[in-house]
Amino acid sequence: RERERDKLIFSAKESIHKTYYPINYHTLDFLDAKITLSGHDESFSAEILKPEATPNQVIKHLDGKYCFFEQYVASFIGLAAK
């Protein structure tokens, strides 16, 4: 279970980066976001601890979903279109 959790955290952090970077052109370091996992609905939330100083769009919080299939994990974050 610990290995699955580690994979999930890594995957969620990648989803955060892939959501945040194209909007603000700023690379978040691994410790720049705090993740909270929710096992009952396969979701996670992320608090951005060190955002871009002058962002194109202020993003302080992101919500995502995840799923496991065999030895794989997938995570994603969806944003509303503007």
Side-chain angles (χ1 to χ4, degrees):
R1 295 294 290 163
E2 186 175 331
R3 186 176 177 114
E4 286 180 347
R5 183 184 58 100
D6 292 346
K7 283 184 181 181
L8 172 55
I9 290 170
F10 182 83
S11 179
K13 296 265 185 169
E14 283 295 308
S15 292
I16 293 163
H17 170 72
K18 302 235 186 277
T19 302
Y20 194 90
Y21 181 82
I23 295 169
N24 290 315
Y25 302 105
H26 175 73
T27 300
L28 296 170
D29 287 331
F30 199 72
L31 298 176
D32 289 348
K34 178 183 174 188
I35 294 179
T36 302
L37 303 173
S38 176
H40 73 277
D41 64 353
E42 295 184 321
S43 68
F44 65 92
S45 62
E47 177 187 354
I48 307 302
L49 303 174
K50 293 183 181 177
E52 165 62 26
T54 56
N56 293 324
Q57 179 180 336
V58 175
I59 300 174
K60 295 181 179 182
H61 185 88
L62 293 167
D63 292 308
K65 298 287 280 182
Y66 66 88
C67 64
F68 285 98
F69 178 72
E70 296 177 358
Q71 74 270 25
Y72 302 102
V73 61
S75 65
F76 63 92
I77 296 170
L79 297 177
K82 289 199 172 201

